[in-house]
């Protein structure tokens, strides 16, 4: 259990595809997840995966739409690589068993915000769930892949800017596991905000681990807020896919007016940052609503079964009612700086998916480009140098005095005391305060005074929990580090761009 060729931290689409691709090269792979294998952000992705595969489409159009949504801040080389590999990504998912919606044997394609063509392949309104299930099934069948669930990665094992593996916390014990390649695929940071579409596990762990390992970052200020999250009795709950607007739903204000018409040539299908800010403005005079009453009940139930059911639980019928919505933190467009192979600035350390920044999203991600990015950039795995491993391993063991490994140095060590109930309550209260502070001060519309307040909060929180030893406190420390990095990046960008909108 102590040595692997490849360690993957995270079990969403990027992590599992990288694990499977590594196993295809005969590498021994360990996948580590702090929760259950399928408790991921991927699972909640509704819309689909974008790829210019239709006869009427071309990757150059996909390229243009990606750049326009990204406020032309994107890395053009990375975008070209992404859009040119769209077909391959879809083929890969078909190969692992994803059953995309088809008609007469042809993939059906939908539209989302910022796309000038129908190019989003989907599985009803649960594309992410279908992908996650197919990947998990393939991983479970693969004898070269070991999965460790409920295991928290406390630190990366770093020495002289090289990564040697991870230090895990499992069953209240710290332990080091070594690998030639370590890949971070931990997903997003939505949980650092009060309102988010992300699951509870999205706490910026990858960012925080990479930060403490000395990695470089890029574009962290660009947090994408999804415009349409169901809001009921003052609480945001679940995402209502942009594909709903792609299939013709309108956005109305409290006066019943389509407020996106005239604001952007694509109206309701304008890039997400523009729609989210427009709703934010409308909310000052009431609410924003989705209106899909012009479709038949049959259509709504078949095309959007999960959304239909979820709304019905709160007493809303898509055919009859206006659906109250509000924006919520959705996606981190930047992340750990990587090249086209996923390499970070630390040797033997890779990053993929939402926690990484390849540069494809620019200042605002084009809808449904994230599942695409996760597959395209994990389809090629690095070569593992077998002979060098033994030396690097012993090199680390002999000098494992890196500060981050104290107090639990080296092998297995029992955590002295698990958190008491009172400590757990205190940590939960601190977590809520961080989420509220970030929402208020680093949200859809920002200014430097508020950003400084959030920075101060994150710094003081880090002081309070610098001695983190339990899963809860280590996770909160990661959230505080992620909040700090994002807020600093937002403070450094003085002018509005994409989803970073600042009034000063
Ligand atoms: C959605 O279905 O609206 C979300 C898809 C995405 O974020 O790409």
């Amino acid at each position: 259990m102590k040595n692997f060729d490849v360690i993957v931290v995270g079990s969403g689409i990027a992590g599992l595809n990288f694990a499977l691709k590594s196993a295809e090269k005969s590498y021994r792979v360990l996948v580590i997840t702090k929760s259950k294998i399928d408790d991921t952000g991927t699972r909640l992705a509704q819309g689909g995966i974008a790829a210019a595969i239709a006869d009427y489409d071309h990757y150059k159009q996909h390229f243009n739409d990606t750049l326009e949504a990204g406020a032309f801040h994107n890395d053009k080389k990375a975008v070209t690589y992404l859009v040119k590999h769209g077909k391959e990504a879809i083929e890969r998912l078909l190969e692992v068993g994803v059953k995309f919606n088809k008609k007469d044997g042809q993939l059906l394609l939908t539209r989302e915000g910022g796309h000038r063509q129908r190019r989003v392949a989907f599985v009803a309104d649960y594309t992410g769930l279908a992908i996650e299930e197919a990947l998990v099934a393939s991983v479970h069948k693969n004898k070269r892949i070991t999965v460790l669930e409920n295991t928290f990665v406390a630190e990366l094992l770093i020495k002289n800017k090289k990564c040697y593996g991870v230090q895990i916390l499992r069953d209240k014990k710290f332990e080091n596991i070594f690998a030639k390649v370590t890949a971070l695929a931990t997903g997003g940071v939505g949980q650092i905000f009060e309102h988010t579409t992300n699951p509870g596990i999205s706490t910026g762990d990858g960012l925080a681990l990479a930060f403490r390992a000395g990695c470089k970052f890029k574009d962290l200020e660009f947090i994408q807020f999804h415009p349409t999250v169901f809001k009921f009795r003052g609480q945001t709950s679940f995402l209502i896919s942009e594909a709903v607007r792609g299939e013709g739903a309108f956005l109305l204000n409290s006066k019943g007016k389509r407020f996106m018409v005239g604001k952007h040539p694509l109206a309701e299908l304008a890039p997400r940052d523009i729609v989210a800010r427009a709703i934010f403005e409308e909310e000052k005079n009431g609410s924003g609503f989705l209106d899909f009453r012009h479709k038949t009940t049959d259509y709504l139930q078949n095309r959007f079964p999960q959304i239909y059911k979820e709304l019905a639980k709160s007493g809303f019928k898509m055919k009859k009612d206006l659906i109250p919505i509000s924006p919520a933190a959705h996606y981190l467009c930047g992340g750990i700086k990587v090249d086209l192979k996923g390499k970070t600035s630390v040797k033997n350390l890779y990053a993929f998916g939402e926690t990484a920044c390849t540069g494809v999203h620019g200042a605002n991600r084009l809808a449904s480009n994230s599942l695409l990015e996760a597959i395209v950039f994990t389809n090629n795995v690095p070569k593992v140098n077998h002979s060098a491993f033994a030396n690097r391993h012993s090199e680390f063991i002999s000098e494992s005095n890196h500060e981050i490994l104290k107090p639990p140095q080296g092998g297995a060590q029992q955590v002295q005391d698990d958190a008491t109930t009172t400590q757990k309550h205190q940590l939960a209260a601190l977590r809520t305060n961080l989420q509220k502070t970030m929402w208020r001060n680093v949200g859809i519309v920002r200014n430097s005074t508020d950003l400084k307040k959030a920075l101060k909060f994150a710094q003081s929180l880090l002081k309070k929990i610098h001695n983190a030893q339990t899963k809860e406190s280590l996770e909160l420390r990661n959230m505080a580090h992620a909040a700090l990095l994002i807020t600093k990046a937002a403070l450094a960008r003085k002018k509005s761009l994409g989803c970073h909108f600042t009034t000063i």
Side-chain angles (χ1 to χ4, degrees):
M1 166 75 136
K2 289 276 172 73
N3 299 311
F4 287 83
D5 295 314
V6 176
I7 290 176
V8 183
V9 188
S11 58
I13 178 171
L16 294 190
N17 195 49
F18 188 70
L20 286 164
K21 284 285 179 181
S22 301
E24 282 170 25
K25 294 252 185 225
S26 304
Y27 300 154
R28 288 165 308 117
V29 183
L30 175 67
V31 174
I32 305 176
T33 168
K34 66 179 176 178
S35 181
K36 301 296 278 179
I37 189 169
D38 59 356
D39 183 7
T40 63
T42 300
R43 190 187 169 84
L44 300 187
Q46 296 178 0
I49 172 164
I53 50 173
D55 296 344
Y56 52 76
D57 205 357
H58 194 279
Y59 75 81
K60 287 187 180 160
Q61 292 184 38
H62 190 185
F63 174 90
N64 289 339
D65 289 349
T66 301
L67 255 60
E68 192 183 327
F72 301 93
H73 182 68
N74 323 55
D75 179 325
K76 288 190 185 150
K77 204 167 138 205
V79 178
T80 304
Y81 188 82
L82 177 84
V83 295
K84 275 190 163 178
H85 288 83
K87 188 162 181 264
E88 244 169 64
I90 301 280
E91 282 166 0
R92 168 67 177 164
L93 290 172
L94 290 168
E95 182 187 304
V96 293
V98 178
K99 304 245 175 314
F100 286 109
N101 281 30
K102 287 184 180 172
K103 195 173 173 198
D104 303 329
Q106 296 291 312
L107 287 182
L108 286 172
L109 300 170
T110 188
R111 253 181 100 187
E112 287 187 60
H115 290 276
R116 284 188 156 75
Q117 294 289 8
R118 283 186 170 262
R119 65 166 69 97
V120 178
F122 60 94
V123 184
D125 58 356
Y126 47 84
T127 312
L129 178 65
I131 291 175
E132 183 72 23
E133 284 179 352
L135 289 169
V136 169
S138 301
V139 163
H140 282 325
K141 273 188 251 155
N142 198 309
K143 293 206 166 56
R144 292 203 176 89
I145 304 177
T146 306
V147 178
L148 266 189
E149 294 184 316
N150 302 310
T151 302
F152 196 83
V153 172
E155 294 296 0
L156 296 169
L157 304 177
I158 303 290
K159 194 171 148 297
N160 297 333
K161 284 203 148 247
K162 271 192 214 165
C163 183
Y164 291 83
V166 297
Q167 180 188 71
I168 57 163
L169 174 60
R170 180 177 166 76
D171 296 333
K172 299 179 194 165
K173 281 182 191 154
F174 285 96
E175 193 181 335
N176 291 346
I177 307 182
F178 295 87
K180 296 153 198 165
V181 164
T182 302
L184 297 172
T186 55
V189 297
Q191 282 297 322
I192 67 172
F193 293 92
E194 183 180 8
H195 300 284
T196 181
T197 60
N198 293 188
I201 48 104
S202 300
T203 52
D205 300 325
L207 288 191
L209 288 167
F211 169 63
R212 297 193 293 270
C215 285
K216 290 190 179 136
F217 294 90
K218 189 169 155 45
D219 295 344
L220 289 176
E221 62 275 34
F222 301 117
I223 300 287
Q224 182 172 78
F225 296 87
H226 195 290
T228 57
V229 177
F230 179 53
K231 189 169 190 179
F232 186 49
R233 297 192 173 131
Q235 292 300 314
T236 45
S237 47
F238 63 90
L239 175 73
I240 301 184
S241 175
E242 209 160 81
V244 168
R245 278 175 282 135
E247 297 296 347
F250 301 130
L251 280 170
L252 305 184
N253 62 18
S254 22
K255 292 190 183 127
K257 185 171 172 248
R258 281 180 66 193
F259 57 87
M260 284 311 297
V261 176
K263 278 214 168 75
H264 190 278
L266 292 173
E268 276 87 354
L269 286 177
R272 228 169 242 184
D273 56 329
I274 295 168
V275 182
R277 274 196 299 277
I279 295 174
F280 182 78
E281 283 308 312
E282 290 297 336
E283 283 183 329
K284 291 181 183 160
N285 305 312
S287 289
F289 296 95
L290 267 172
D291 180 9
F292 219 0
R293 295 171 299 175
H294 44 287
K295 291 278 182 180
T296 65
T297 302
D298 263 8
Y299 170 83
L300 294 168
Q301 276 179 328
N302 287 323
R303 177 62 183 87
F304 299 108
Q306 305 279 13
I307 297 171
Y308 193 94
K309 268 190 233 144
E310 279 302 320
L311 288 172
K313 281 187 203 161
S314 302
F316 284 80
K317 287 232 157 35
M318 282 173 100
K319 174 68 197 156
K320 273 182 30 208
D321 299 312
L322 289 178
I323 311 298
I325 41 86
S326 188
H330 183 59
Y331 193 87
L332 173 65
C333 303
I336 305 161
K337 193 173 187 295
V338 294
D339 66 10
L340 295 187
K341 294 185 170 137
K343 271 188 192 176
T344 70
S345 48
V346 167
K347 204 158 182 241
N348 306 323
L349 181 64
Y350 290 72
F352 299 105
E354 190 170 348
T355 199
C357 181
T358 57
V360 296
H361 304 309
N364 173 52
R365 176 181 61 101
L366 181 67
S368 287
N369 266 357
S370 44
L371 295 177
L372 176 66
E373 183 195 29
I375 292 292
V376 167
F377 290 91
T378 53
N379 265 346
N380 296 313
V381 298
K383 273 211 179 89
V384 163
N385 181 350
H386 288 267
S387 59
F389 178 64
N391 294 340
R392 290 213 308 271
H393 181 176
S394 47
E395 182 187 323
F396 183 84
I397 295 283
S398 64
E399 296 182 53
S400 63
N401 58 355
H402 193 287
E403 205 190 335
I404 59 166
L405 295 178
K406 291 173 188 168
Q409 280 187 16
Q413 179 169 330
Q414 189 82 28
V415 176
Q416 282 169 356
D417 251 325
D418 201 21
T420 62
T421 312
T422 320
Q423 283 165 340
K424 279 189 181 166
H425 282 142
Q426 282 167 350
L427 286 170
L430 288 172
R431 183 174 165 130
T432 305
N433 284 347
L434 175 68
Q435 291 165 329
K436 284 186 187 299
T437 304
M438 289 298 287
W439 181 255
R440 236 184 348 253
N441 300 303
V442 197
I444 298 170
V445 176
R446 302 163 173 178
N447 65 66
S448 60
T449 312
D450 288 349
L451 289 172
K452 281 177 195 157
K453 281 186 205 159
L455 190 68
K456 237 172 135 180
F457 184 92
Q459 283 163 337
S460 77
L461 178 56
L462 278 166
K463 277 191 194 136
K464 283 187 191 135
I465 51 169
H466 74 279
N467 241 340
Q469 288 277 300
T470 60
K471 190 224 163 200
E472 289 81 2
S473 56
L474 287 164
E475 187 172 79
L476 184 60
R477 186 177 60 150
N478 285 349
M479 291 170 76
H481 271 145
L484 189 85
L485 289 166
I486 287 163
T487 309
K488 276 191 177 167
L491 265 167
R493 185 167 294 281
K494 304 290 178 208
K495 289 197 181 144
S496 298
L497 185 71
C499 42
H500 171 72
F501 190 84
T502 178
T503 53
I504 322 176

